[in-house]
Amino acid sequence: MSKSDLSSQPTSDSDSSPSSDIRVGVYLCHCGVNIGGVIDMTEMVEFAKTLPDVVIAREYKFYCSDNGQAEIAKDIRNGLVNRVVVAACSPRMHEPTFRRILVEEGLNPFYFAQANIREHATWVNMYDSAGAQRISQDHLRMQVAKVRQLKALEPQIVMVRPSSLIIGAGIAGINTALDLGNQGFKVYLVEKDATIGGHMAQLDKTFPTMDCSSCILTPKMVEVSRNPNITIMAYSEVEKVDGYVGNFQVQIRRKAHYVDQSKCTGCGECALHCPVVVGNEFDLGMSHRSAIYIPFPQAVPGLYTIDMDHCIKCGICATTTVCEPQAINFDEVDEIETVEVGTIVVATGYDTIDVSHLGNYGYGRFENVVTGMEMERNLSSTGPNLGHPVRPSDGQTPHSIAWLQCVGSRDTREGNHPYCSRVCCMYAIKQARQYKEKHPEAECYIFYMDIRAFGKGYEEFYESASHEYGIKFMRGRLAEIQENPDKTLLIRGEDTFLGQPLALNVDMVVLSNGVEARADAGKIASLVTIQRSTDGFFMEAHPKLRPVDSLTDGVYIAGVAQGPKDIPDVVSQAKGAASGAAILMAKGEVEVEPYFSIVQTALCAGCRSCIGQCPFGAITFDSVLHVAHINPAQCKGCGTCVSTCPNNAILQNHFTTKQLMSIIEGVLGDDRVW
Amino acid sequence: MVETTEIETKTETKTEAEAFEPFILGIFCNWCTYTGADQAGTSRMQRPPNLRIMRVMCSGRVEPEMIIEALRRGADGVLVGACHIGDCHYVNGNFKTVRRMPVLVNLIEQYGLNPNRLWLRHISASEGAELTEIVKEYVEILKKLGPNPLKKHK
């Protein structure tokens, strides 16, 4: 007896042999010209009619439209069909739409199958009608075969906890946290650094309004710390995520501060006495901090942390004369805290592109070549030079500065990124304008490929930069930077407007490097089981219609972690993600597909092979009945146990062995002529 | 049926090897490869018309019986599509596939089939381009191999 035959016998699969009362309706969607323009729909209808149990085959321009849906509904209502196959786009697109019709007409929604003849046929064989037709027919065969085997299932309802985990506390995480916290949901805001704020805290001014970045960010940071619904977990990292939509269990590593956060008053006396001097990461190493530190004065929480990589354990900070509250504790260890949340928002931000591999620009070799973020700190009034940018080589005010655009972005060479980082054009113009405001006599050049001033007020900002501030825009990507003996720089390239080679001496060069996915993005993706795009950023469920959802239910993406964007877009997306999470939590429950697996006790031999295979610990052993038992709430429906069971005793709802085998039989059936 | 007439008309003009259009059954996991195949479609990446796609929730669900059944019934190649290691939506379902498939490849070799009749490939949700290249390559290889000897001709 074959495995597929076996599975037809037991309990929930018992009525699985196609009975006489199966009436399949096939609905072939033209999808405008997307499908109808490639394959012969009339022939498809005739073909569909030849398939077993198909009583009706129809075609229509758009079955997802109201009229199209009404046609399917009418056939169900009139009792003509009791199984529905729609041959159209991907089920990932419209399966919920069509299932709803079945529900509305009183038919079980799982009596539906969708043949993907657009993404998997006509769109990949646009110029090969015969080939596309062949694939479409096969996909139809497969789904008709499957729909005949499908069983009625009840959607599962799971409760959603009214709490949210937000990973990353930059401007995206902060906004999401505030929106959710203000709606009354409990929020755990996890940040790996010692302060919240992210990259935005490092920026000086923001384009195009020239708002001071910290002036608009720090009130938000304070608001987060004051919100009773938000728990800030700074200097912490997510270790493990278990559970499913509505019920995630999250383990968070609270890294040791070596300073008792409940006793520290943030007075800063310890930092004044600390003898260690190390580069301050916040200023990209251009200023100094002690081993006991807060990242920047407005940090939230404004409590001190000891950097154990650099601490010499001299103990000066621990003396009562220095730390009166006795907060220093060198024996502190990391703690693991577990929180339970209903939703997760991933807002882990970005890394700036490392430009040291671009040898022709000499970053790291030539002192006066700096990155965009270094220039930003240089311009900042809280930065190492208190807002008076200087040439790194001699500390003098530069008279001429050149910005090089698209460094590391829009470059298909190895080690670079083909995408546009979207912020560099604007920040370079902004920095040049800021410099011109301070030093109107200075020469500012921006070497660009295209200026992408796409946002509200951006084009005007760009225009004024050249017309009012006299910043010189030169089109052409620079070939090379050379250092002169006096440490000034000779830049070589081509002015593509004049079509002439160009050589220019400047005091300083700013490489406008873009953004890239965080180095640990892969780790985060694995933790919360979300996907990444080819560019490394987290992948949204649909590029147009679900830009803040991940493919994993209950997990949302916000900010640059999803792709390059500027602050207004980040905030919009953060609000979108907050809204997505809030909808789930406000409803309090969510319908999940009942694709869990069931052990057929009569067939289970109690070998326990399945138990070790389940990554979710959903399978337990019933020592009384000597059989395995699957907890449907814990089962995520991967079906790995099904393919492991030597006795074929496990069924996966909607993906039973019989159903999957029927697809193979349906497409490669006995009547197939080769 | 349509298939017959197409093959016959093609044999008139092309050589038999060229006329042979391999039947590839793709068994793809819902989260990575199936989504990647959708992405290939959305991006209009053209590929030879040889791949039929069947969806499972996880590549760990793929039973050796399914592959053997497909080959027994005449599929020229089976392409199992899984997430990259570490990317599995179900933590480690693809680990199990990675261990199962090589054993199965050995087995089908013992049945007298070429080991290339079964491919396991890791294709993520954003790798429509990789899928396209893999299918092109697979079609080339299967064309060289010729039809599955188990295929029943009528």
Side-chain angles (χ1 to χ4, degrees):
Chain A
M1 203 175 210
S2 86
K3 206 172 174 182
S4 55
D5 294 330
L6 256 177
S7 68
S8 67
Q9 294 182 350
T11 50
S12 53
D13 214 16
S14 56
D15 55 343
S16 61
S17 59
S19 73
S20 52
D21 192 35
I22 288 181
R23 283 163 280 134
V24 181
V26 174
Y27 300 89
L28 294 143
C29 180
H30 290 237
C31 192
V33 293
N34 287 313
I35 297 170
V38 179
I39 59 174
D40 182 342
M41 296 304 272
T42 326
E43 201 185 304
M44 282 298 286
V45 170
E46 291 313 310
F47 171 78
K49 286 178 180 163
T50 65
L51 297 173
D53 289 334
V54 173
V55 292
I56 284 176
R58 298 187 198 279
E59 46 154 330
Y60 187 65
K61 268 211 157 353
F62 291 103
Y63 269 113
C64 57
S65 71
D66 274 357
N67 288 344
Q69 293 189 36
E71 193 166 274
I72 302 173
K74 205 170 90 188
D75 285 348
I76 303 172
R77 205 176 311 134
N78 293 338
L80 297 175
V81 301
N82 57 13
R83 299 284 193 283
V84 176
V85 175
V86 174
C89 51
S90 169
R92 293 182 56 258
M93 181 89 195
H94 272 308
E95 195 173 55
T97 315
F98 295 118
R99 277 188 177 163
R100 208 179 307 127
I101 307 175
L102 275 70
V103 175
E104 282 165 10
E105 296 306 323
L107 204 58
N108 189 283
F110 295 93
Y111 284 148
F112 170 79
Q114 189 163 352
N116 185 339
I117 61 168
R118 191 180 74 175
E119 281 87 342
H120 295 182
T122 57
W123 272 356
V124 287
N125 293 288
M126 293 169 78
Y127 314 108
D128 181 358
S129 299
Q133 187 103 11
R134 214 157 53 228
I135 303 289
S136 302
Q137 289 184 347
D138 282 347
H139 280 178
L140 191 56
R141 275 194 175 111
M142 292 160 90
Q143 295 310 316
V144 169
K146 183 174 185 189
V147 86
R148 293 168 67 221
Q149 300 292 342
L150 289 179
K151 296 278 149 295
L153 297 171
E154 286 311 312
Q156 266 199 310
I157 307 286
V158 299
M159 305 308 280
V160 180
R161 286 178 186 280
S163 53
S164 197
L165 168 78
I166 297 169
I167 311 175
I171 186 62
I174 286 173
N175 266 287
T176 313
L178 283 174
D179 276 13
L180 290 173
N182 287 336
Q183 288 179 74
F185 299 112
K186 177 75 204 158
V187 175
Y188 300 96
L189 182 58
V190 176
E191 168 58 50
K192 72 175 166 49
D193 289 337
T195 176
I196 64 171
H199 281 112
M200 191 176 164
Q202 288 176 288
L203 307 181
D204 183 38
K205 296 235 173 358
T206 56
F207 54 80
T209 49
M210 291 304 220
D211 283 305
C212 153
S213 185
S214 11
C215 310
I216 54 178
L217 175 71
T218 46
K220 291 258 179 202
M221 291 163 63
V222 175
E223 208 181 325
V224 166
S225 69
R226 291 224 179 108
N227 192 308
N229 289 327
I230 303 174
T231 302
I232 297 176
M233 299 171 115
Y235 211 49
S236 302
E237 285 182 44
V238 175
E239 286 266 294
K240 196 166 177 242
V241 179
D242 283 325
Y244 48 92
V245 54
N247 301 273
F248 294 104
Q249 291 88 40
V250 186
Q251 282 182 16
I252 298 160
R253 175 177 294 272
R254 318 252 359 216
K255 293 182 278 192
H257 289 267
Y258 305 101
V259 177
D260 188 332
Q261 301 289 292
S262 60
K263 288 184 187 161
C264 177
T265 61
C267 68
E269 203 58 31
C270 50
L272 294 176
H273 286 82
C274 180
V276 179
V277 175
V278 288
N280 188 355
E281 299 84 358
F282 188 74
D283 281 332
L284 304 148
M286 294 186 291
S287 69
H288 302 116
R289 64 163 170 84
S290 45
I292 185 163
Y293 72 106
I294 54 169
F296 60 99
Q298 303 97 321
V300 173
L303 306 175
Y304 280 74
T305 300
I306 298 178
D307 166 11
M308 271 301 166
D309 292 341
H310 295 101
C311 174
I312 53 169
K313 296 207 173 95
C314 63
I316 294 174
C317 57
T319 55
T320 43
T321 47
V322 175
C323 185
E324 264 183 70
Q326 299 262 304
I328 312 293
N329 176 8
F330 289 110
D331 300 326
E332 204 177 291
V333 287
D334 292 4
E335 280 173 24
I336 304 288
E337 194 172 328
T338 304
V339 298
E340 298 199 317
V341 295
T343 54
I344 296 175
V345 179
V346 182
T348 47
Y350 62 92
D351 284 337
T352 52
I353 297 172
D354 179 13
V355 293
S356 45
H357 68 284
L358 293 164
N360 52 335
Y361 292 156
Y363 178 75
R365 279 186 294 136
F366 307 151
E367 286 176 75
N368 292 332
V369 176
V370 301
T371 65
M373 191 58 98
E374 283 168 349
M375 187 61 184
E376 193 68 34
R377 291 309 300 153
N378 223 334
L379 282 163
S380 171
S381 51
T382 63
N385 304 313
L386 305 173
H388 301 288
V390 293
R391 255 189 347 203
S393 63
D394 57 6
Q396 296 302 307
T397 303
H399 298 296
S400 51
I401 307 179
W403 277 261
L404 265 61
Q405 298 311 107
C406 301
V407 177
S409 305
R410 299 184 68 198
D411 191 337
T412 48
R413 289 173 301 168
E414 186 76 28
N416 301 293
H417 299 290
Y419 58 79
C420 166
S421 287
R422 293 187 76 204
V423 291
C424 333
C425 284
M426 291 307 294
Y427 84 58
I429 298 172
K430 182 210 71 171
Q431 289 179 351
R433 205 178 112 168
Q434 276 183 278
Y435 196 73
K436 275 287 211 183
E437 280 170 1
K438 292 174 205 274
H439 301 283
E441 76 294 346
E443 293 286 356
C444 290
Y445 303 92
I446 295 181
F447 289 89
Y448 69 99
M449 299 210 289
D450 305 279
I451 288 291
R452 300 198 162 169
F454 52 86
K456 187 175 178 179
Y458 290 10
E459 181 66 21
E460 296 88 325
F461 186 76
Y462 161 46
E463 287 294 333
S464 78
S466 81
H467 294 147
E468 289 170 33
Y469 289 84
I471 296 161
K472 297 192 175 75
F473 288 86
M474 321 277 276
R475 202 185 75 177
R477 190 174 220 158
L478 289 183
E480 186 182 30
I481 300 174
Q482 290 171 347
E483 194 176 57
N484 297 320
D486 63 351
K487 304 266 181 185
T488 59
L489 301 160
L490 171 64
I491 57 181
R492 289 179 184 280
E494 186 191 347
D495 184 327
T496 57
F497 277 137
L498 297 176
Q500 281 176 356
L502 170 155
L504 189 71
N505 278 305
V506 290
D507 287 349
M508 203 173 152
V509 168
V510 182
L511 302 178
S512 297
N513 54 338
V515 298
E516 64 184 5
R518 283 253 183 217
D520 63 357
K523 195 183 126 204
I524 299 284
S526 303
L527 273 177
V528 290
T529 60
I530 58 176
Q531 273 74 30
R532 293 166 75 194
S533 316
T534 32
D535 53 17
F537 292 104
F538 298 129
M539 193 167 158
E540 61 285 345
H542 191 280
K544 303 282 177 294
L545 303 175
R546 296 177 65 194
V548 300
D549 304 13
S550 74
L551 284 169
T552 303
D553 286 344
V555 180
Y556 300 85
I557 316 164
V560 184
Q562 181 258 339
K565 49 182 78 67
D566 55 10
I567 295 168
D569 285 4
V570 165
V571 174
S572 310
Q573 205 189 16
K575 287 185 164 286
S579 161
I583 290 169
L584 266 186
M585 295 191 287
K587 259 177 116 180
E589 56 179 41
V590 63
E591 209 173 88
V592 294
E593 284 166 329
Y595 296 164
F596 57 87
S597 299
I598 302 161
V599 179
Q600 302 164 89
T601 355
L603 288 177
C604 177
C607 74
R608 310 179 203 203
S609 339
C610 53
I611 295 177
Q613 295 286 315
C614 180
F616 309 107
I619 313 179
T620 49
F621 190 68
D622 183 334
S623 49
V624 180
L625 294 172
H626 206 71
V627 291
H629 173 74
I630 299 175
N631 177 357
Q634 268 174 291
C635 175
K636 287 201 184 180
C638 62
T640 303
C641 56
V642 186
S643 46
T644 305
C645 180
N647 230 19
N648 207 26
I650 309 178
L651 287 177
Q652 187 192 1
N653 279 340
H654 216 63
F655 291 89
T656 67
T657 306
K658 176 131 189 132
Q659 286 162 0
L660 295 178
M661 283 298 206
S662 76
I663 295 177
I664 297 168
E665 287 165 25
V667 71
L668 291 159
D670 297 327
D671 58 338
R672 178 135 194 161
V673 182
W674 296 96
Chain B
M1 279 175 94
V2 186
E3 283 80 2
T4 344
T5 50
E6 268 169 18
I7 289 171
E8 278 166 2
T9 44
K10 273 178 190 164
T11 26
E12 282 169 13
T13 50
K14 294 177 182 176
T15 68
E16 205 165 299
E18 275 176 306
F20 165 57
E21 285 292 344
F23 182 106
I24 303 172
L25 179 71
I27 310 181
F28 290 176
C29 88
N30 179 57
W31 304 98
C32 288
T33 316
Y34 193 90
T35 313
D38 276 2
Q39 194 237 336
T42 315
S43 315
R44 314 294 199 279
M45 295 169 183
Q46 304 299 303
R47 64 172 178 246
N50 301 79
L51 176 69
R52 285 78 174 162
I53 300 172
M54 156 175 165
R55 176 163 72 142
V56 288
M57 293 311 277
C58 177
S59 65
R61 175 70 186 89
V62 179
E63 292 179 44
E65 285 89 334
M66 294 170 189
I67 293 158
I68 292 172
E69 185 68 13
L71 292 173
R72 189 182 74 78
R73 286 179 174 274
D76 298 300
V78 176
L79 174 62
V80 176
C83 302
H84 286 277
I85 291 298
D87 285 356
C88 180
H89 188 78
Y90 303 102
V91 185
N92 55 17
N94 54 357
F95 276 75
K96 284 132 199 172
T97 317
V98 164
R99 290 192 207 112
R100 272 177 203 147
M101 292 307 133
V103 179
L104 194 58
V105 168
N106 274 335
L107 197 70
I108 64 166
E109 228 178 330
Q110 288 172 35
Y111 278 139
L113 291 176
N114 188 291
N116 272 317
R117 300 271 177 211
L118 169 59
W119 271 20
L120 166 67
R121 290 294 181 273
H122 300 278
I123 302 158
S124 83
S126 58
E127 292 181 337
E130 278 78 355
L131 172 72
T132 308
E133 287 313 306
I134 287 168
V135 172
K136 282 180 187 164
E137 189 192 344
Y138 202 13
V139 168
E140 280 309 303
I141 287 174
L142 289 173
K143 280 191 173 176
K144 277 187 198 134
L145 276 183
N148 178 349
L150 300 175
K151 199 173 272 197
K152 281 181 219 147
H153 291 276
K154 283 187 182 167

